[in-house]
C-alpha cells in the first residue's frame, strides 16, 4: 500500500521558517512528479509547488514564489518544502501529492494526510 506521510508542520510567528517533509512508503517505482498543496478552512485547495523528477523542473504559485523551495532527495520519492518569510495567510493544512496529473501533480495519484502550518502575526 502506497503511503505519503508529511511532517514538519507547526506554529510559528510571521517571518519565521518551517521545513516540511514528505516520505513515500510502499512504492517500488519512482514518482515522476511530486507536489505540495494547501487548504485553509473555507477555502479552495491551492497548489503551491511541484517538482518533476526527470527534468528537475520546479514550479511555484505566485503566492509562495521566492519564499518556498521544493526539493527531492536522491531516491526521488521523498521531498521537502523549505518555507521562509512565513505570513499569516500561509496558515493552512499542507499536503503532499505524487504521481498525479496537472501542473501541481494533484490530479489522481497519491496524497498524504496533511500537516498543519499556523503562522501568527
Amino acid at each position: 500500500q502506497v503511503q505519503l506521510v508529511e511532517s514538519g508542520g507547526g506554529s510559528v510567528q510571521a517571518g519565521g521558517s518551517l521545513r516540511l517533509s514528505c516520505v513515500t512508503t510502499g512504492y517500488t517505482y519512482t514518482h515522476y512528479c511530486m507536489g505540495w498543496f494547501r487548504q485553509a478552512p473555507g477555502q479552495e485547495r491551492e497548489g503551491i509547488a511541484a517538482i518533476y523528477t526527470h527534468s528537475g523542473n520546479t514550479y511555484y504559485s505566485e503566492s509562495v514564489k521566492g519564499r518556498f523551495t521544493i526539493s527531492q532527495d536522491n531516491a526521488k520519492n521523498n521531498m521537502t518544502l523549505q518555507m521562509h518569510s512565513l505570513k499569516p495567510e500561509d496558515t493552512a493544512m499542507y499536503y503532499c501529492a505524487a504521481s498525479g496529473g496537472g501542473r501541481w501533480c494533484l490530479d489522481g495519484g497519491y496524497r498524504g494526510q496533511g500537516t498543519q502550518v499556523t503562522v501568527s502575526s
Side-chain angles (χ1 to χ4, degrees):
Q1 181 180 359
V2 179
Q3 287 189 314
L4 274 61
V5 180
E6 304 94 337
S7 62
S11 297
V12 296
Q13 291 191 328
S17 299
L18 283 174
R19 183 182 176 91
L20 305 184
S21 296
C22 175
V23 174
T24 301
T25 60
Y27 192 64
T28 58
Y29 305 100
T30 299
H31 292 306
Y32 64 84
C33 66
M34 299 188 78
W36 291 94
F37 68 99
R38 64 188 182 187
Q39 189 163 22
Q43 296 190 18
E44 292 189 357
R45 184 181 70 186
E46 179 190 15
I48 58 172
I51 185 165
Y52 284 74
T53 299
H54 296 297
S55 66
N57 288 343
T58 57
Y59 299 92
Y60 298 95
S61 66
E62 288 300 318
S63 60
V64 307
K65 190 177 295 182
R67 300 187 297 122
F68 292 9
T69 303
I70 188 172
S71 61
Q72 282 178 302
D73 69 358
N74 289 336
K76 303 301 183 182
N77 275 356
N78 302 323
M79 69 173 172
T80 61
L81 184 69
Q82 181 67 56
M83 306 186 295
H84 294 298
S85 303
L86 284 162
K87 305 174 182 179
E89 51 263 45
D90 293 318
T91 296
M93 186 72 79
Y94 284 69
Y95 302 85
C96 67
S99 294
R103 165 166 285 199
W104 307 114
C105 202
L106 301 182
D107 301 334
Y110 306 102
R111 300 176 186 178
Q113 293 300 306
T115 185
Q116 179 67 39
V117 172
T118 302
V119 185
S120 58
S121 57

